[in-house]
Amino acid sequence: MKEVFVKYRLVLPLSLWLLIFLVLPYVFILTQSFLASDNFGQVIYDFNIDSYSKFFTNSLYYTTLLRTLFIAVVVATTCVFLSIPLAYFIAFRVKKYKTILYALIVLPFWMSYIVRAYAWKIILGQNGILNSFMMYVGITEEPLEFLLYSNFSVVICLVHIFTPFVAIPIYTAFEQIPKALVEASKDLGAGSWTTLWKVILPLGLPGIISGGTFALVLTMGDFLTPVLLGGPDTLFISNIVQNLFGTSNDKPMGSAVGILMLILILILLEYSGHMERKYASFKSKSY
Amino acid sequence: MGHILELKSVDKFYGTNHVVKNLNLNVFDGEFLTILGPSGCGKTTTLRMIGGFEIPSHGSIILNDKDITKLPPYKREVNTVFQNYALFPNMTVAQNIAFGLKQKKWDKSRIAKKVDEVLEMVRMEIFKQRKPMELSGGQQQRVAIARAVANDPKILLLDEPLGALDLKLRKEMQSELKTLHNDLKKTFVYVTHDQEEALTMSDRIAVMNAGVVEQISSSEELYYQPKTKFIADFIGEANVIKAKVTTKDKVSIGGQSLELKMDNVISGNEVDLFIRPEHIILNTSSGKIQGKVQEIIFVGTVRKYKIGIDGGITIVATETTLKPSLYTPDQLVYMDWDSDKVSVF
Amino acid sequence: MITQFKSGLVPVAALAVITFLYFPLIIIVLYSFNADSVSAFPIQSYSLGWYSVMLQNDSLLAAVKNSITVAIVATTLALIVGLPAAYAMHKYDFLGKKTLERIVLMPITLPGIVTGVAMLSFFPLVGVRLSLTAVTIGHITFLSAIMITQLLARFKQLDPFLEQAGYDLGARPLRVFFVVIIPNVKTAIIGAVLLCLVLSMDEIPVTFFLIARENTLPIEIYGMMRRGITPEVNAISTLVFTVSAIAILLSIRLTEQNQKIPK
Ligand SMILES: Nc1ncnc2c1ncn2[C@@H]1O[C@H](COP(=O)(O)OP(=O)(O)OP(=O)(O)O)[C@@H](O)[C@H]1O
Ligand SMILES: [Mg+2]
């Protein structure tokens, strides 16, 4: 049979498409990161590693990266803390309405990013809903200013957006824990806390790692929330990339920062994948 | 009856795993041939090579004098009843059965007639408009058979078609399949790892072990004249007794000497004697060897004696329960048998 | 059991998290009916005023139209490119399959901004100028990734013997594909298409860098937000929520149905 050719014919369009519109662009910015740019932002074909050395010597770059990482860790941790009780509840406490509750966490997963950021803007704004509510019921006299355009608003918005990304893998991991194990633990005299701590969390660890990594990586790549809700000092590494390709118009530098981001994220993903496998107790589906 | 299908020196490798080894198999027109063997021995692989789902690494497959070794399944005049039925869930029973006929571009009325005919044959007429999901396992099984038979294949291939059914339904379907075979007068190649199923249904059985066909013969021949130790062990209950060759045509079993015709054995060697429990005749006065009754077990139609002899050997003999037992535990008994009932490996 | 959770603790915590997830969405819907132009508590009076303002905002409507066009074109092409590829990736082993699997996942796992700037830098070199066309090409690229992961998951659940039964009964590969495979993954295809439409309508990181003058809806909303708070965003957002919620719930349902494979 000519099946040999059939299979290549089936994947050829996709392969070509991805080569031209995905792989080559990545290869191109990798190349571009080793080039220079003149005063007009024009890329000059002059091979050098200046962009990379600038990244590690100019504190603007590496401190921003560190700050982004820090906020990403805060966001990821918060998401995990919110997701655990939610996932635990749906996996172990409900039977009848499981599908509905599950749909309830999947739904916001796909809900418009920009509109959710917008919602936090009108909630946290100086004349926003939260401030006017607190003044209305008399908790505060003056509107609180730190609510919006601060690290606070950025973190709360990102936590809100990424919690479903974290809750879903954790729930999937919890759901795979045989109910008999939980019962066995209780049968052996362990209370609910002990069972949670000694049985459920260790067995659900791969899901927790996977979810946490999602939030970490997604926060690192975010550039809109800091622009929309952040203060003057809330700048993510992605915003630097955005500026270098926009107003600052230094594409080689922008490419270098992008490539470094990419490398960092790939290392994170690789490491977390490794940890997931290490702590996997069940042969699990991919999340 | 001539050969309808021939497998000539067929080998199949998966990577370096040699799954089917130099297989030679002739299938007679109209027979019910069963491929029997333990799990993983290569039965399915063999059947899939006949069906066209796998291509042999070496060798050839001849159907009606035509080499079909490399022909794709849709060009072969054989049809398969899949173990999990593989009914198309999106089609009704009738549509499932019509599927193959449509590929042959039959006209509508002819298809409709044929569908009704095969449905009647498997007694599923009333389920014509149901979807497979709305049928029980046994009913799905019938539809799967009807769908394959409708195409009037030269050979019907069945891979453990009853594997998913419970014991009672299995027995029922076994006799139905046998009846179907008699009515259709078609060649069936049937795969199973259930020896009882194979023994009751087949005209001939090919026993496979680790990729090799060790014996092809009728049920009875297989049972009473196994060609290899594996088959002796695998089919039914049998005594396999260790013995030592002392001189030509003499062996020793736990110190007792016994005459035995053997070819090509060297004295000092160990051999295995094979004999069915029902072929051992118990006796208090004389016999080939002597032992002590250890245990008597009543198992319905037969009574089972476990008889110990020196050297830690236990031999099982059975007697019909129509007569009362003449022996009691700890009694010394003689065991006798017809010489031609013993095989030596 | 002494250390039993106080029976209410877990449900309360879970409920609190769900409230947190839905609170902003509810706010948007509520305030889209606010008559006032300031989004403050409490709402004094309700009206559909912002909906009619929205309907008069030409650039917003144009953005909606652009988004719908991009979503439909990109999803269709992602399906055309993705479906055969997913099928081949499921069914065959071929040279470079592992590489292809990794590359397909790139637009999902790697940050959108890097993909965005990479495309921004490279597209002009192959003659694709920044425009809605560039945006559509960008969308096809990441949607084909979504399409393939969704379809592969469904193909994996498909009984492999169905296909073989098709061949066994005399149907050729192309026929088997259309008569046996497609009808049995139909729901997954519809589900994946809905998902792709929703994702395309909401995509920002890649779109942001490839867009020229004509905006898509999220970029238009982004622009409006930067200019200040305009409550008509509440109105359009409520509509977007409603439509995407319906699409997503439908998609979830369809994907669930897939799992009911006959015994
Ligand atoms: N596609 C495959 N790739 C690699 N090895 C395979 C493949 N299919 C079967 N095998 C191996 O070939 C051997 C024979 O398999 P086969 O399915 O023919 O056994 P079988 O006799 O039908 O067993 P069972 O009674 O369990 O169905 C097994 O060891 C199996 O692991
Ligand atoms: Mg098998």
Side-chain angles (χ1 to χ4, degrees):
Chain A
M1 267 198 285
K2 286 163 284 174
E3 261 199 5
V4 192
F5 300 108
V6 172
K7 59 193 181 189
Y8 288 107
R9 240 186 290 159
L10 292 175
V11 291
L12 191 66
L14 176 81
S15 309
L16 275 182
W17 185 280
L18 292 180
L19 178 70
I20 298 173
F21 297 117
L22 189 68
V23 177
L24 288 181
Y26 276 117
V27 173
F28 185 74
I29 56 158
L30 179 64
T31 318
Q32 191 167 253
S33 72
F34 291 105
L35 301 178
S37 92
D38 67 13
N39 295 335
F40 308 101
Q42 212 57 3
V43 176
I44 313 166
Y45 287 77
D46 164 24
F47 188 86
N48 66 77
I49 53 163
D50 291 356
S51 300
Y52 289 96
S53 57
K54 223 191 309 177
F55 185 92
F56 291 104
T57 48
N58 188 336
S59 71
L60 168 73
Y61 296 115
Y62 61 78
T63 49
T64 307
L65 180 65
L66 290 179
R67 189 178 44 237
T68 310
L69 257 177
F70 173 73
I71 293 189
V73 169
V74 173
V75 169
T77 317
T78 316
C79 287
V80 167
F81 273 106
L82 294 184
S83 299
I84 287 176
L86 186 59
Y88 178 88
F89 178 67
I90 303 178
F92 296 108
R93 286 295 185 83
V94 289
K95 287 213 174 67
K96 207 166 151 197
Y97 299 110
K98 215 169 225 181
T99 337
I100 297 178
L101 276 166
Y102 180 69
L104 222 50
I105 54 169
V106 172
L107 198 55
F109 186 93
W110 302 108
M111 280 298 189
S112 172
Y113 172 101
I114 189 80
V115 172
R116 288 197 277 162
Y118 173 76
W120 285 107
K121 194 164 175 163
I122 65 169
I123 292 169
L124 299 176
Q126 200 178 358
N127 303 314
I129 292 153
L130 188 58
N131 269 325
S132 55
F133 171 77
M134 286 195 295
M135 278 151 60
Y136 182 79
V137 295
I139 300 174
T140 51
E141 302 269 306
E142 295 276 299
L144 299 175
E145 297 217 355
F146 72 90
L147 290 177
L148 190 61
Y149 302 129
S150 61
N151 283 340
F152 173 78
S153 51
V154 169
V155 169
I156 202 166
C157 177
L158 290 176
V159 166
H160 178 246
I161 293 175
F162 296 142
T163 295
F165 286 78
V166 182
I168 291 171
I170 296 185
Y171 165 77
T172 313
F174 282 2
E175 196 55 50
Q176 282 172 0
I177 300 175
K179 300 287 172 283
L181 282 184
V182 177
E183 279 160 17
S185 163
K186 296 200 172 169
D187 180 70
L188 296 169
S192 297
W193 282 111
T194 319
T195 304
L196 178 70
W197 198 241
K198 297 266 158 138
V199 179
I200 296 172
L201 289 186
L203 292 178
L205 199 56
I208 295 173
I209 295 171
S210 149
T213 313
F214 271 145
L216 201 68
V217 168
L218 287 168
T219 306
M220 287 182 61
D222 195 89
F223 67 104
L224 287 168
T225 303
V227 171
L228 294 171
L229 303 177
D233 60 332
T234 335
L235 202 65
F236 280 12
I237 191 72
S238 306
N239 298 109
I240 291 192
V241 176
Q242 181 203 349
N243 289 337
L244 286 167
F245 275 91
T247 35
S248 318
N249 203 5
D250 185 351
K251 288 178 185 141
M253 187 66 214
S255 304
V257 180
I259 292 291
L260 288 172
M261 258 178 80
L262 217 59
I263 292 173
L264 182 60
I265 285 174
L266 284 175
I267 292 173
L268 276 171
L269 288 172
E270 197 57 41
Y271 182 68
S272 105
H274 172 74
M275 297 305 272
E276 267 174 62
R277 282 189 295 277
K278 185 173 161 195
Y279 292 112
S281 312
F282 310 107
K283 213 180 133 211
S284 60
K285 315 172 220 155
S286 54
Y287 300 115
Chain B
M1 277 193 299
H3 293 161
I4 185 163
L5 179 77
E6 283 174 81
L7 275 70
K8 290 184 178 164
S9 324
V10 168
D11 280 282
K12 179 70 188 176
F13 289 88
Y14 285 118
T16 56
N17 194 1
H18 200 173
V19 175
V20 172
K21 297 169 189 161
N22 190 28
L23 180 76
N24 287 291
L25 185 66
N26 292 329
V27 181
F28 298 120
D29 196 5
E31 79 170 325
F32 194 122
L33 178 89
T34 298
I35 304 177
L36 173 69
S39 185
C41 70
K43 306 180 295 286
T44 298
T45 308
T46 305
L47 203 71
R48 287 171 61 78
M49 288 192 290
I50 303 173
F53 303 111
E54 302 285 352
I55 292 176
S57 311
H58 306 290
S60 52
I61 300 176
I62 316 286
L63 177 70
N64 269 344
D65 300 325
K66 219 177 73 192
D67 190 326
I68 59 159
T69 315
K70 290 189 173 149
L71 217 56
Y74 45 88
K75 289 187 182 156
R76 297 190 183 205
E77 290 171 290
V78 298
N79 285 111
T80 309
V81 177
F82 291 88
Q83 173 165 9
N84 66 348
Y85 319 134
L87 296 174
F88 305 122
N90 55 313
M91 301 178 196
T92 62
V93 167
Q95 286 167 332
N96 261 285
I97 295 173
F99 188 93
L101 306 175
K102 270 194 198 151
Q103 309 312 317
K104 292 186 182 165
K105 308 231 157 35
W106 282 21
D107 62 52
K108 274 208 179 92
S109 57
R110 192 167 164 217
I111 291 180
K113 230 180 97 198
K114 185 77 185 178
V115 168
D116 287 339
E117 184 191 314
V118 290
L119 275 176
E120 196 190 320
M121 194 175 67
V122 295
R123 294 184 282 111
M124 289 287 293
E125 306 94 308
I126 52 167
F127 298 112
K128 200 171 154 182
Q129 296 311 331
R130 291 248 189 119
K131 289 276 179 74
M133 256 185 280
E134 301 157 354
L135 301 176
S136 73
Q139 293 165 341
Q140 291 185 28
Q141 176 63 73
R142 287 200 172 88
V143 177
I145 293 169
R147 184 177 70 175
V149 166
N151 298 282
D152 200 17
K154 293 269 185 308
I155 301 179
L156 190 66
L157 305 174
L158 306 101
D159 189 358
E160 313 222 11
L162 310 182
L165 305 179
D166 63 41
L167 191 64
K168 188 161 169 291
L169 199 55
R170 229 183 135 105
K171 294 270 178 238
E172 245 173 77
M173 287 300 294
Q174 281 176 14
S175 77
E176 267 185 49
L177 267 177
K178 194 66 201 157
T179 317
L180 194 71
H181 175 247
N182 291 336
D183 294 349
L184 288 171
K185 305 199 167 34
K186 271 199 187 312
T187 313
F188 280 34
V189 177
Y190 190 97
V191 161
T192 182
H193 65 261
D194 178 339
Q195 44 157 308
E196 198 189 322
E197 191 166 293
L199 292 174
T200 52
M201 294 174 79
S202 325
D203 295 325
R204 288 195 309 153
I205 300 174
V207 183
M208 268 186 102
N209 180 29
V212 177
V213 170
E214 298 205 341
Q215 183 169 357
I216 309 176
S217 52
S218 70
S219 301
E220 246 178 77
E221 202 181 322
L222 202 63
Y223 190 80
Y224 291 119
Q225 283 144 33
K227 283 204 182 123
T228 66
K229 187 177 169 218
F230 166 79
I231 294 174
D233 236 2
F234 185 66
I235 310 278
E237 205 178 336
N239 292 296
V240 179
I241 308 162
K242 284 223 173 317
K244 196 173 219 155
V245 182
T246 47
T247 54
K248 193 180 179 315
D249 291 343
K250 271 225 163 78
V251 296
S252 138
I253 300 173
Q256 303 187 45
S257 187
L258 181 72
E259 271 193 33
L260 197 67
K261 273 207 202 67
M262 291 174 292
D263 318 315
N264 314 323
V265 275
I266 305 159
S267 46
N269 271 10
E270 293 244 331
V271 291
D272 287 308
L273 304 192
F274 157 84
I275 185 164
R276 299 271 173 211
E278 64 268 31
H279 287 151
I280 297 178
I281 304 151
L282 295 180
N283 201 314
T284 45
S285 51
S286 68
K288 293 206 163 60
I289 52 174
Q290 199 187 29
K292 193 195 253 178
V293 176
Q294 290 176 335
E295 206 181 342
I296 305 173
I297 308 158
F298 175 81
V299 273
T301 53
V302 293
R303 195 179 294 116
K304 211 176 190 175
Y305 295 90
K306 283 193 179 168
I307 298 159
I309 52 179
D310 288 348
I313 299 169
T314 308
I315 297 176
V316 178
T318 52
E319 257 188 0
T320 162
T321 40
L322 292 175
K323 289 179 288 181
S325 175
L326 298 171
Y327 317 99
T328 53
D330 287 342
Q331 189 179 351
L332 283 178
V333 289
Y334 286 98
M335 288 169 273
D336 205 359
W337 55 74
D338 291 345
S339 302
D340 65 341
K341 293 287 172 8
V342 178
S343 314
V344 183
F345 306 112
Chain C
M1 263 176 268
I2 313 149
T3 47
Q4 179 71 270
F5 289 130
K6 293 211 179 64
S7 59
L9 195 62
V10 171
V12 166
L15 194 70
V17 177
I18 289 180
T19 313
F20 169 67
L21 289 180
Y22 279 88
F23 174 66
L25 312 188
I26 293 165
I27 290 290
I28 293 280
V29 175
L30 274 182
Y31 278 82
S32 74
F33 299 108
N34 184 6
D36 208 345
S37 70
V38 180
S39 301
F41 183 87
I43 296 177
Q44 304 292 349
S45 61
Y46 293 88
S47 89
L48 289 171
W50 292 114
Y51 286 87
S52 67
V53 172
M54 173 191 85
L55 287 177
Q56 278 144 35
N57 184 337
D58 289 337
S59 64
L60 188 65
L61 294 182
V64 171
K65 200 183 118 234
N66 290 339
S67 267
I68 292 176
T69 316
V70 170
I72 290 176
V73 174
T75 303
T76 312
L77 274 155
L79 181 66
I80 293 173
V81 177
L83 179 61
Y87 181 62
M89 287 165 80
H90 161 71
K91 193 175 157 197
Y92 302 109
D93 255 329
F94 50 85
L95 204 70
K97 181 172 168 181
K98 278 269 166 315
T99 318
L100 186 61
E101 280 170 351
R102 293 205 127 206
I103 291 174
V104 161
L105 284 179
M106 272 165 47
I108 301 178
T109 45
L110 299 182
I113 182 166
V114 182
T115 313
V117 297
M119 288 175 169
L120 163 76
S121 305
F122 184 75
F123 278 14
L125 298 187
V126 285
V128 181
R129 262 180 296 154
L130 301 187
S131 60
L132 281 183
T133 313
V135 171
T136 311
I137 292 174
H139 282 206
I140 295 168
T141 310
F142 83 86
L143 290 183
S144 58
I146 305 280
M147 196 64 95
I148 285 172
T149 38
Q150 294 278 317
L151 294 179
L152 263 182
R154 179 67 183 101
F155 281 138
K156 285 222 177 78
Q157 293 173 0
L158 195 67
D159 176 4
F161 290 107
L162 284 184
E163 186 181 355
Q164 293 177 12
Y167 297 141
D168 187 78
L169 296 167
R172 286 159 173 278
L174 202 64
R175 251 198 100 70
V176 169
F177 183 71
F178 283 109
V179 184
V180 176
I181 308 279
I182 294 288
N184 285 300
V185 297
K186 197 174 60 196
T187 49
I189 294 177
I190 299 172
V193 162
L194 287 174
L195 215 58
C196 285
L197 289 173
V198 171
L199 286 177
S200 168
M201 295 277 297
D202 187 41
E203 213 284 337
I204 299 181
V206 168
T207 314
F208 187 90
F209 292 100
L210 298 179
I211 205 112
R213 249 177 239 105
E214 293 175 286
N215 280 345
T216 60
L217 181 58
I219 302 286
E220 180 71 21
I221 295 177
Y222 172 81
M224 290 166 86
M225 271 174 79
R226 299 214 63 188
R227 274 176 256 131
I229 290 172
T230 44
E232 61 208 280
V233 174
N234 293 337
I236 184 75
S237 302
T238 304
L239 291 183
V240 171
F241 278 157
T242 317
V243 173
S244 53
I246 292 170
I248 295 305
L249 289 176
L250 213 62
S251 165
I252 295 175
R253 256 210 82 115
L254 289 171
T255 334
E256 244 174 34
Q257 264 176 7
N258 292 335
Q259 265 129 35
K260 288 186 208 137
I261 293 166
K263 288 254 164 63

